[in-house]
Amino acid sequence: WGVVYPNGKWNDDRDAFGNVLVEFNSDPHLGTATWALSEGGNGKTYSAVLLPARVTWQQAKDYATSVGAQLVSMETQAEREWIFKRFAAFLNMWTLNGYTCGPWVGLSRTTGNWVWESGEPVTDSPWLPGEPNLTGDFACFYGGNGGPAAGLDDTFEGNARRALILEFPAPPCLGDIDGDTDVHI
């Protein structure tokens, strides 16, 4: 395998690598995906975003609003697992600086209660063991020495990072548009 060192020099290596570089002839839209109903999903489209500079949670929320989305609301374990596998598990979404912080998500604490950006309360525990530990009022994916993890951490708003995950609203159901009494999604 060819490898690139942090200093930009190339070398050959055996089957021990952590990331790969792939070239596409056209945009494969890897940063955006729709969780299809046929997969047990909700029909919503999600997008992973890497910004050029680190942002606070509020800045991430403002960015989401500016593009017609919200920070992701992962209201079920199935949704959280799908989001993690599709977007948050990739190391480029993480700031690895001692505190292994992953992308911002749309969960915040107001008046003592954790609420998703969708307005839904937290009904299952999205937290990693020991969390939330009252270190902040905003949630992000979090990892440890083992790397990215599918659970969340509570952190303070100013704990800036470059990554966030957006959720776009599901398109409206148009109903029976062909008059055959079946509605196809």
Side-chain angles (χ1 to χ4, degrees):
W1 299 95
V3 297
V4 180
Y5 292 119
N7 65 4
K9 295 194 181 271
W10 288 79
N11 196 3
D12 61 338
D13 203 353
R14 55 193 178 285
D15 290 338
F17 58 88
N19 292 299
V20 297
L21 179 64
V22 179
E23 181 177 348
F24 296 92
N25 292 327
S26 62
D27 184 356
H29 303 286
L30 295 176
T32 301
T34 299
W35 192 21
L37 297 171
S38 62
E39 298 173 1
N42 56 18
K44 293 182 181 178
T45 298
Y46 302 86
S47 185
V49 176
L50 282 173
L51 298 171
R54 292 182 185 191
V55 295
T56 65
W57 187 88
Q58 185 61 52
Q59 290 168 322
K61 179 180 174 177
D62 293 345
Y63 174 84
T65 302
S66 77
V67 297
Q70 67 179 26
L71 290 175
V72 66
S73 294
M74 301 172 292
E75 296 150 351
T76 67
Q77 181 177 352
E79 184 178 13
R80 190 170 54 257
E81 288 173 358
W82 188 86
I83 293 292
F84 180 77
K85 289 177 185 172
R86 183 64 178 84
F87 301 114
F90 297 99
L91 283 178
N92 62 339
M93 296 293 290
W94 293 73
T95 303
L96 305 172
N97 61 359
Y99 169 75
T100 308
C101 53
W104 286 122
V105 300
L107 182 59
S108 61
R109 183 173 56 183
T110 55
T111 63
N113 297 314
W114 288 96
V115 179
W116 292 108
E117 282 297 291
S118 64
E120 293 295 318
V122 175
T123 56
D124 77 337
S125 179
W127 307 105
L128 286 172
E131 301 296 339
N133 61 6
L134 304 178
T135 57
D137 295 325
F138 304 93
C140 64
F141 276 101
Y142 179 67
N145 293 336
L152 303 182
D153 177 38
D154 63 322
T155 189
F156 56 98
E157 198 239 348
N159 189 356
R161 71 245 8 254
R162 294 179 47 222
L164 52 127
I165 300 175
L166 302 178
E167 178 179 332
F168 293 88
C173 179
L174 300 177
D176 181 17
I177 60 174
D178 62 2
D180 68 355
T181 69
D182 289 329
V183 176
H184 304 279
I185 298 176

